[in-house]
Amino acid sequence: MIKLDRVGKTLGRTRVLSDFSLCVEKGKITCIIGPSGCGKTTLLQLMAGLEQPDTGRITGTEEARVSYVFQEPRLLLWKTVAQNIAFVLQDVVTPARRQELIKEYLSMVGLYEYRDSYPKALSGGMKQRLALCRAFAYPHDFLLMDEPFKSLDTPLRLGLVRQVARIWQANPQTVVLVTHDIMDALLLGHRVIVLSARPAAILDDIRIDVPLAQRNVVQEPLPGYHARMLAVLEAENKKSFPNL
Protein backbone atom coordinates (compact mmCIF):
# COMPACT_ATOMS: atom_id res chain seq x y z
CA MET A 1 0.00 0.00 0.00
CA ILE A 2 1.17 3.51 -0.87
CA LYS A 3 0.22 6.03 1.78
CA LEU A 4 0.42 9.82 1.53
CA ASP A 5 0.04 11.40 4.96
CA ARG A 6 -0.69 15.15 5.09
CA VAL A 7 1.56 15.86 2.13
CA GLY A 8 2.26 19.42 1.06
CA LYS A 9 3.94 20.49 -2.18
CA THR A 10 4.68 23.88 -3.72
CA LEU A 11 5.99 24.28 -7.27
CA GLY A 12 7.41 27.73 -7.84
CA ARG A 13 4.86 30.03 -6.25
CA THR A 14 1.98 27.61 -6.72
CA ARG A 15 0.67 25.59 -3.80
CA VAL A 16 -0.28 22.29 -5.45
CA LEU A 17 -0.95 20.13 -2.38
CA SER A 18 -1.72 21.03 1.21
CA ASP A 19 -2.26 18.45 3.96
CA PHE A 20 -3.18 15.87 1.30
CA SER A 21 -3.74 12.28 2.46
CA LEU A 22 -4.48 9.15 0.41
CA CYS A 23 -4.02 5.38 0.68
CA VAL A 24 -3.60 3.45 -2.58
CA GLU A 25 -4.89 -0.11 -2.34
CA LYS A 26 -2.72 -3.04 -3.35
CA GLY A 27 -3.74 -5.07 -6.41
CA LYS A 28 -6.35 -2.55 -7.58
CA ILE A 29 -6.57 0.19 -10.20
CA THR A 30 -6.99 3.59 -8.59
CA CYS A 31 -8.01 6.37 -10.99
CA ILE A 32 -7.42 10.02 -10.18
CA ILE A 33 -9.46 12.61 -12.05
CA GLY A 34 -9.81 16.35 -11.58
CA PRO A 35 -9.53 19.76 -13.22
CA SER A 36 -6.56 20.53 -15.45
CA GLY A 37 -3.59 21.71 -13.41
CA CYS A 38 -4.96 20.50 -10.08
CA GLY A 39 -1.87 18.43 -9.25
CA LYS A 40 -2.61 14.98 -10.66
CA THR A 41 0.79 14.61 -12.33
CA THR A 42 2.53 15.99 -9.23
CA LEU A 43 0.90 13.22 -7.18
CA LEU A 44 2.33 10.57 -9.51
CA GLN A 45 5.78 12.17 -9.41
CA LEU A 46 5.69 12.16 -5.61
CA MET A 47 4.70 8.48 -5.55
CA ALA A 48 7.49 7.67 -8.00
CA GLY A 49 10.07 9.61 -6.01
CA LEU A 50 10.66 12.04 -8.89
CA GLU A 51 9.58 14.84 -6.55
CA GLN A 52 9.87 15.08 -2.78
CA PRO A 53 7.12 16.44 -0.50
CA ASP A 54 7.74 19.72 1.27
CA THR A 55 5.74 18.51 4.26
CA GLY A 56 4.15 15.24 5.32
CA ARG A 57 5.22 11.67 4.57
CA ILE A 58 4.92 9.11 1.80
CA THR A 59 5.29 5.47 2.83
CA GLY A 60 5.03 2.14 1.05
CA THR A 61 7.37 3.19 -1.75
CA GLU A 62 10.64 2.48 0.03
CA GLU A 63 12.83 0.35 -2.26
CA ALA A 64 9.77 -0.34 -4.39
CA ARG A 65 10.14 -1.00 -8.11
CA VAL A 66 8.10 1.53 -10.05
CA SER A 67 6.94 1.32 -13.66
CA TYR A 68 5.80 4.60 -15.23
CA VAL A 69 3.76 5.32 -18.37
CA PHE A 70 4.02 8.93 -19.55
CA GLN A 71 1.60 10.87 -21.73
CA GLU A 72 3.94 10.31 -24.68
CA PRO A 73 5.31 6.81 -25.48
CA ARG A 74 9.01 7.77 -24.97
CA LEU A 75 10.27 4.83 -27.00
CA LEU A 76 13.89 4.16 -27.96
CA LEU A 77 13.73 4.95 -31.66
CA TRP A 78 16.96 3.10 -32.49
CA LYS A 79 15.67 -0.16 -31.03
CA THR A 80 13.07 -2.54 -32.44
CA VAL A 81 9.71 -3.19 -30.84
CA ALA A 82 11.04 -6.29 -29.08
CA GLN A 83 14.28 -4.54 -28.09
CA ASN A 84 12.34 -1.69 -26.46
CA ILE A 85 10.86 -4.19 -24.03
CA ALA A 86 14.06 -6.22 -23.69
CA PHE A 87 15.95 -3.06 -22.71
CA VAL A 88 13.99 -2.58 -19.45
CA LEU A 89 14.18 -6.32 -18.66
CA GLN A 90 17.87 -6.93 -19.30
CA ASP A 91 19.02 -6.64 -15.68
CA VAL A 92 15.96 -8.01 -13.93
CA VAL A 93 15.01 -11.32 -15.58
CA THR A 94 16.82 -14.19 -17.30
CA PRO A 95 17.19 -14.11 -21.12
CA ALA A 96 14.69 -16.96 -21.46
CA ARG A 97 12.13 -15.22 -19.27
CA ARG A 98 12.77 -11.99 -21.19
CA GLN A 99 11.69 -13.63 -24.45
CA GLU A 100 8.64 -15.14 -22.78
CA LEU A 101 7.51 -11.73 -21.50
CA ILE A 102 8.12 -10.04 -24.85
CA LYS A 103 6.00 -12.61 -26.67
CA GLU A 104 3.31 -12.64 -24.00
CA TYR A 105 2.72 -8.90 -23.86
CA LEU A 106 3.18 -8.12 -27.55
CA SER A 107 0.73 -10.90 -28.41
CA MET A 108 -1.73 -9.54 -25.90
CA VAL A 109 -1.96 -6.20 -27.74
CA GLY A 110 -1.55 -7.49 -31.28
CA LEU A 111 2.02 -6.29 -31.84
CA TYR A 112 3.96 -9.54 -31.92
CA GLU A 113 4.18 -9.58 -35.72
CA TYR A 114 5.85 -6.15 -35.50
CA ARG A 115 8.51 -7.31 -33.04
CA ASP A 116 11.35 -6.62 -35.50
CA SER A 117 9.99 -3.24 -36.65
CA TYR A 118 11.27 0.11 -35.42
CA PRO A 119 9.02 2.69 -33.72
CA LYS A 120 9.06 4.99 -36.76
CA ALA A 121 7.07 2.32 -38.66
CA LEU A 122 4.31 2.28 -36.01
CA SER A 123 1.18 4.40 -35.81
CA GLY A 124 0.53 6.58 -32.76
CA GLY A 125 -1.78 4.00 -31.24
CA MET A 126 0.71 1.19 -31.83
CA LYS A 127 3.46 3.21 -30.16
CA GLN A 128 1.29 3.74 -27.11
CA ARG A 129 0.44 0.02 -27.01
CA LEU A 130 4.17 -0.72 -27.03
CA ALA A 131 4.76 1.75 -24.20
CA LEU A 132 2.01 0.04 -22.18
CA CYS A 133 3.51 -3.41 -22.90
CA ARG A 134 6.92 -2.25 -21.76
CA ALA A 135 5.51 -0.84 -18.53
CA PHE A 136 3.45 -3.93 -17.68
CA ALA A 137 6.24 -6.35 -18.61
CA TYR A 138 8.78 -4.71 -16.29
CA PRO A 139 8.60 -6.46 -12.88
CA HIS A 140 7.25 -3.81 -10.55
CA ASP A 141 5.54 -3.25 -7.26
CA PHE A 142 3.24 -0.63 -8.67
CA LEU A 143 2.49 1.01 -12.02
CA LEU A 144 1.88 4.73 -12.48
CA MET A 145 0.13 5.95 -15.64
CA ASP A 146 -0.08 9.65 -16.49
CA GLU A 147 -2.90 10.20 -19.01
CA PRO A 148 -1.52 7.56 -21.42
CA PHE A 149 -4.53 7.86 -23.76
CA LYS A 150 -4.64 11.68 -23.87
CA SER A 151 -3.62 12.26 -27.48
CA LEU A 152 -5.68 9.44 -29.03
CA ASP A 153 -9.00 9.66 -30.85
CA THR A 154 -12.05 8.13 -29.17
CA PRO A 155 -12.22 4.71 -30.93
CA LEU A 156 -8.49 4.11 -30.44
CA ARG A 157 -8.68 5.37 -26.87
CA LEU A 158 -11.48 2.97 -25.99
CA GLY A 159 -9.62 0.10 -27.66
CA LEU A 160 -6.51 0.77 -25.60
CA VAL A 161 -8.51 1.13 -22.40
CA ARG A 162 -10.02 -2.32 -23.06
CA GLN A 163 -6.55 -3.75 -23.72
CA VAL A 164 -5.24 -2.34 -20.44
CA ALA A 165 -8.19 -3.98 -18.69
CA ARG A 166 -7.31 -7.33 -20.29
CA ILE A 167 -3.64 -7.00 -19.36
CA TRP A 168 -4.56 -6.20 -15.76
CA GLN A 169 -6.98 -9.13 -15.56
CA ALA A 170 -4.24 -11.48 -16.77
CA ASN A 171 -1.89 -10.20 -14.07
CA PRO A 172 -3.61 -8.02 -11.42
CA GLN A 173 -1.25 -5.34 -10.18
CA THR A 174 -1.32 -2.11 -8.19
CA VAL A 175 -2.00 0.69 -10.67
CA VAL A 176 -2.54 4.43 -10.27
CA LEU A 177 -4.01 6.01 -13.40
CA VAL A 178 -4.27 9.79 -13.80
CA THR A 179 -6.84 10.85 -16.38
CA HIS A 180 -9.05 13.80 -17.24
CA ASP A 181 -11.58 11.52 -18.93
CA ILE A 182 -14.45 10.08 -16.87
CA MET A 183 -14.82 7.22 -19.38
CA ASP A 184 -11.32 5.94 -18.56
CA ALA A 185 -12.18 5.93 -14.88
CA LEU A 186 -15.49 4.14 -15.45
CA LEU A 187 -13.92 1.37 -17.53
CA LEU A 188 -10.73 0.85 -15.49
CA GLY A 189 -11.09 2.15 -11.96
CA HIS A 190 -11.83 -0.06 -8.99
CA ARG A 191 -11.63 3.19 -7.08
CA VAL A 192 -11.98 6.73 -8.45
CA ILE A 193 -10.60 9.74 -6.59
CA VAL A 194 -12.11 13.05 -7.73
CA LEU A 195 -9.89 16.04 -6.95
CA SER A 196 -10.63 19.72 -6.52
CA ALA A 197 -8.74 22.58 -8.11
CA ARG A 198 -5.38 23.26 -6.48
CA PRO A 199 -4.41 22.93 -3.81
CA ALA A 200 -5.92 19.52 -4.51
CA ALA A 201 -8.38 18.04 -2.05
CA ILE A 202 -10.45 14.87 -2.40
CA LEU A 203 -14.01 15.81 -3.36
CA ASP A 204 -15.29 12.26 -3.84
CA ASP A 205 -14.01 8.72 -3.34
CA ILE A 206 -15.96 6.24 -5.46
CA ARG A 207 -15.63 2.45 -5.45
CA ILE A 208 -16.82 0.49 -8.47
CA ASP A 209 -17.33 -3.22 -7.78
CA VAL A 210 -18.29 -4.28 -11.32
CA PRO A 211 -15.61 -6.64 -12.79
CA LEU A 212 -13.62 -4.96 -15.57
CA ALA A 213 -14.70 -7.53 -18.15
CA GLN A 214 -18.38 -6.79 -17.46
CA ARG A 215 -18.27 -2.99 -17.62
CA ASN A 216 -20.55 -1.25 -20.08
CA VAL A 217 -20.87 2.53 -19.92
CA VAL A 218 -24.55 2.45 -21.00
CA GLN A 219 -25.66 -0.10 -18.40
CA GLU A 220 -26.17 0.56 -14.71
CA PRO A 221 -24.48 1.20 -12.42
CA LEU A 222 -21.89 2.94 -14.64
CA PRO A 223 -24.19 5.73 -15.93
CA GLY A 224 -24.98 6.56 -12.32
CA TYR A 225 -21.29 6.80 -11.44
CA HIS A 226 -20.76 8.95 -14.55
CA ALA A 227 -23.46 11.38 -13.44
CA ARG A 228 -22.03 11.50 -9.92
CA MET A 229 -18.49 12.31 -11.12
CA LEU A 230 -19.73 14.87 -13.64
CA ALA A 231 -21.83 16.64 -11.02
CA VAL A 232 -18.87 16.92 -8.65
CA LEU A 233 -16.55 18.22 -11.38
CA GLU A 234 -19.13 20.71 -12.69
CA ALA A 235 -19.72 22.08 -9.20
CA GLU A 236 -15.98 22.51 -8.75
CA ASN A 237 -15.70 24.20 -12.14
CA LYS A 238 -18.38 26.73 -11.16
CA LYS A 239 -16.35 27.66 -8.10
CA SER A 240 -13.30 28.36 -10.25
CA PHE A 241 -15.21 30.08 -13.08
CA PRO A 242 -18.41 31.53 -11.54
CA ASN A 243 -19.21 33.68 -14.59
CA LEU A 244 -19.20 30.80 -17.10
Side-chain angles (χ1 to χ4, degrees):
M1 180 184 293
I2 306 169
K3 183 176 182 180
L4 290 81
D5 184 16
R6 303 190 68 180
V7 167
K9 184 65 180 179
T10 298
L11 298 175
R13 296 183 178 181
T14 302
R15 188 68 169 169
V16 181
L17 299 171
S18 180
D19 271 354
F20 186 90
S21 296
L22 174 68
C23 291
V24 175
E25 297 176 26
K26 184 177 180 180
K28 300 289 185 180
I29 301 177
T30 299
C31 290
I32 300 176
I33 65 174
S36 179
C38 71
K40 301 185 295 293
T41 294
T42 299
L43 276 173
L44 287 192
Q45 292 173 339
L46 288 166
M47 293 180 197
L50 301 176
E51 292 279 355
Q52 297 302 315
D54 299 327
T55 57
R57 296 182 61 215
I58 300 176
T59 56
T61 60
E62 302 87 351
E63 300 183 3
R65 293 179 296 182
V66 182
S67 196
Y68 205 121
V69 180
F70 296 90
Q71 293 181 21
E72 304 79 25
R74 298 197 181 188
L75 303 175
L76 302 175
L77 301 181
W78 59 95
K79 291 185 177 293
T80 66
V81 166
Q83 289 169 346
N84 263 274
I85 300 177
F87 181 77
V88 301
L89 299 176
Q90 59 186 352
D91 297 324
V92 291
V93 298
T94 65
R97 180 56 179 157
R98 194 181 310 156
Q99 294 307 311
E100 290 174 359
L101 287 170
I102 290 170
K103 184 175 182 179
E104 175 185 349
Y105 281 98
L106 288 180
S107 297
M108 209 176 294
V109 299
L111 286 179
Y112 188 66
E113 64 182 286
Y114 297 94
R115 60 191 179 279
D116 296 322
S117 300
Y118 287 87
K120 67 179 181 180
L122 306 181
S123 68
M126 293 166 75
K127 290 176 183 177
Q128 198 66 318
R129 274 187 275 167
L130 175 54
L132 291 167
C133 281
R134 185 175 60 183
F136 272 97
Y138 175 73
H140 55 271
D141 298 298
F142 54 91
L143 170 63
L144 306 177
M145 305 172 70
D146 189 4
E147 301 209 41
F149 319 115
K150 183 177 181 180
S151 60
L152 305 176
D153 60 50
T154 299
L156 184 54
R157 184 188 191 100
L158 289 175
L160 272 180
V161 166
R162 293 296 190 188
Q163 287 179 329
V164 168
R166 285 193 291 270
I167 293 172
W168 184 89
Q169 288 171 301
N171 186 15
Q173 302 169 355
T174 304
V175 179
V176 181
L177 168 65
V178 157
T179 180
H180 69 278
D181 194 297
I182 293 176
M183 199 71 68
D184 298 347
L186 288 173
L187 293 175
L188 288 174
H190 297 104
R191 183 184 181 196
V192 182
I193 306 295
V194 185
L195 297 183
S196 70
R198 62 177 181 257
I202 296 176
L203 297 176
D204 206 350
D205 186 345
I206 302 168
R207 297 176 186 274
I208 304 177
D209 295 327
V210 181
L212 298 190
Q214 298 176 20
R215 296 196 183 187
N216 187 319
V217 293
V218 298
Q219 293 180 356
E220 291 295 347
L222 294 193
Y225 288 127
H226 183 282
R228 175 175 166 179
M229 292 180 213
L230 190 59
V232 173
L233 290 170
E234 285 186 336
E236 182 64 12
N237 192 54
K238 288 181 180 178
K239 291 180 185 177
S240 301
F241 304 99
N243 296 324
L244 293 181

